[in-house]
Amino acid sequence: MEVTEEVPSVRAYADQPDHERHVGKENRTSISEFILLGLSEQPDQQRLLFGLFLAMYLITVVGNLLIILAIGSDSHLQSPMYFFLANLSFADICFTSASIPKMLVNIETQHQTISYVGCITQLYFLLAFGGLDNLLLAAMAYDRYVAICRPLHYATTMSSQRCVLIMSMCWALTNIPALTHSVLLAHLFFCTQRAIPHFYCDISALLKLACSDTHLNELMVIILGAIFLTVPLALIILSYARITSAVLGFSSPEGRWKAFSTCGSHLTVVLLFYGSLMGVYLFPSSSDSVQRDSAAAVLYIVVTPMLNPFIYSLRNRDMKGALRRLLGNGKTLSSP
């Protein structure tokens, strides 16, 4: 009942001008928790949501864990492409685990709160592992570019030491926006309004709830977003532009098809990732777009990490063979 009463006031509060929201210190209230409104307030839908998201979460964890184990245990998959894929699967497990278990607990206990510290921590891990996904997709695009456009230099350009260096840089770089936003949010004051219209702690929703000045936070969202989203995306686009140009120059149709087929899985994941990401962060929010924003967030946080193992394994003969050997079942995943 408490949550239902707060929703209209939250939306009205979010629509207030900045000078009305940024009140004096005497009116600021230190809060210890936020309310995650989730995907639905209808009691009869909670059990359905719990079962659906529990199933998707288990599929995500098991599927990506199998990818990691298959790559680690098979000598045929010790190449840079599979090295980055194993790290991508690990990042997907952590990314989904940052929000979905808390959502499931809230549904099961019918208690929609998350602590202040828990919310900031969840935001950090969502940004860190979401950013890691983004950087890894760029690294994988560069790997495909070198393999197709510079095959004679592939062994030296993508050596084991170089791959570890690239991976270390990805891990280091993804912490820059995650730590920056988390630290800046920790210095904000929040008023009595504490309802977040999502199933996770979203940075834009948190900034709307703040009653202190958020101009620096909003500026950093724009600057860091422009750097850490557009630069990897530009690298992916440039890599595939060079790949397309090189492949179209192949004289053999079989050679062109083989080259493009090695990139199909990665391109599919890139389209899913950036398509859902744009749906969450780039399109303007309004009171009429809550359902659209929630659907985009589910696609970005849950569906894409769940589909990645299927996308990378169904059309990959080497990966299917590794999974078959790992599971010890030659019939289930036999190649066509």
Side-chain angles (χ1 to χ4, degrees):
M1 190 66 182
E2 177 186 359
V3 174
T4 303
E5 295 174 352
E6 287 197 49
V7 178
S9 59
V10 171
R11 291 175 179 168
Y13 175 77
D15 293 334
Q16 290 178 354
D18 287 346
H19 70 274
E20 293 183 20
R21 292 198 291 123
H22 300 155
V23 296
K25 288 186 177 181
E26 65 276 7
N27 292 327
R28 294 172 180 168
T29 303
S30 178
I31 63 174
S32 60
E33 61 185 19
F34 295 99
I35 298 174
L36 297 174
L37 298 182
L39 295 173
S40 174
E41 300 171 43
Q42 303 300 322
D44 58 333
Q45 296 180 357
Q46 299 307 305
R47 302 312 303 172
L48 175 62
L49 288 173
F50 180 86
L52 179 62
F53 278 86
L54 176 60
M56 289 193 294
Y57 177 65
L58 291 177
I59 293 173
T60 301
V61 172
V62 173
N64 283 286
L65 187 59
L66 285 175
I67 294 291
I68 295 172
L69 293 175
I71 293 173
S73 63
D74 197 297
S75 59
H76 298 90
L77 303 182
Q78 303 307 307
S79 66
M81 179 179 70
Y82 293 111
F83 171 75
F84 291 125
L85 177 57
N87 280 274
L88 180 68
S89 293
F90 176 76
D92 282 340
I93 292 174
C94 297
F95 182 50
T96 306
S97 297
S99 59
I100 299 305
K102 177 60 179 175
M103 174 191 179
L104 295 174
V105 169
N106 285 359
I107 293 176
E108 181 64 23
T109 61
Q110 298 182 357
H111 192 66
Q112 295 178 292
T113 60
I114 183 172
S115 68
Y116 172 83
V117 174
C119 191
I120 300 297
T121 302
Q122 184 188 82
L123 176 67
Y124 166 79
F125 284 113
L126 284 172
L127 292 174
F129 288 110
L132 184 59
D133 265 8
N134 185 32
L135 294 172
L136 281 172
L137 290 175
M140 295 171 77
Y142 177 71
D143 171 74
R144 291 297 84 206
Y145 157 72
V146 177
I148 295 173
C149 299
R150 303 181 62 190
L152 298 179
H153 299 86
Y154 184 76
T156 54
T157 304
M158 300 303 295
S159 63
S160 299
Q161 295 82 358
R162 186 71 59 84
C163 289
V164 171
L165 177 61
I166 293 174
M167 195 65 241
S168 300
M169 290 177 60
C170 290
W171 278 99
L173 289 173
T174 193
N175 277 283
I176 295 176
L179 281 173
T180 300
H181 292 310
S182 300
V183 170
L184 289 177
L185 275 171
H187 286 81
L188 294 180
F189 288 93
F190 292 90
C191 301
T192 54
Q193 305 294 347
R194 54 198 181 104
I196 299 174
H198 292 286
F199 61 91
Y200 65 100
C201 290
D202 177 63
I203 187 170
S204 59
L206 287 169
L207 292 180
K208 290 179 181 179
L209 295 181
C211 56
S212 54
D213 184 36
T214 60
H215 285 97
L216 178 59
N217 300 73
E218 293 165 356
L219 179 63
M220 294 310 296
V221 168
I222 295 173
I223 293 175
L224 293 176
I227 295 173
F228 286 94
L229 288 179
T230 58
V231 172
L233 181 58
L235 179 59
I236 293 172
I237 294 173
L238 179 61
S239 296
Y240 276 105
R242 298 294 297 272
I243 289 172
T244 302
S245 176
V247 171
L248 291 178
F250 291 178
S251 58
S252 169
E254 292 79 8
R256 288 196 294 268
W257 170 251
K258 183 178 179 180
F260 277 128
S261 65
T262 62
C263 304
S265 298
H266 180 258
L267 271 175
T268 303
V269 172
V270 167
L271 292 174
L272 273 174
F273 180 84
Y274 282 101
S276 57
L277 185 65
M278 291 177 183
V280 174
Y281 292 111
L282 295 188
F283 294 107
S285 298
S286 67
S287 58
D288 298 327
S289 65
V290 174
Q291 291 183 346
R292 187 206 65 197
D293 293 345
S294 297
V298 170
L299 182 63
Y300 172 56
I301 296 177
V302 186
V303 177
T304 300
M306 180 184 69
L307 292 180
N308 284 353
F310 298 99
I311 294 172
Y312 278 108
S313 62
L314 288 180
R315 295 185 60 187
N316 188 313
R317 187 178 298 272
D318 292 335
M319 181 60 69
K320 286 194 290 186
L323 288 171
R324 182 171 62 246
R325 288 185 288 272
L326 177 67
L327 298 174
N329 187 347
K331 295 181 179 180
T332 303
L333 294 170
S334 59
S335 302

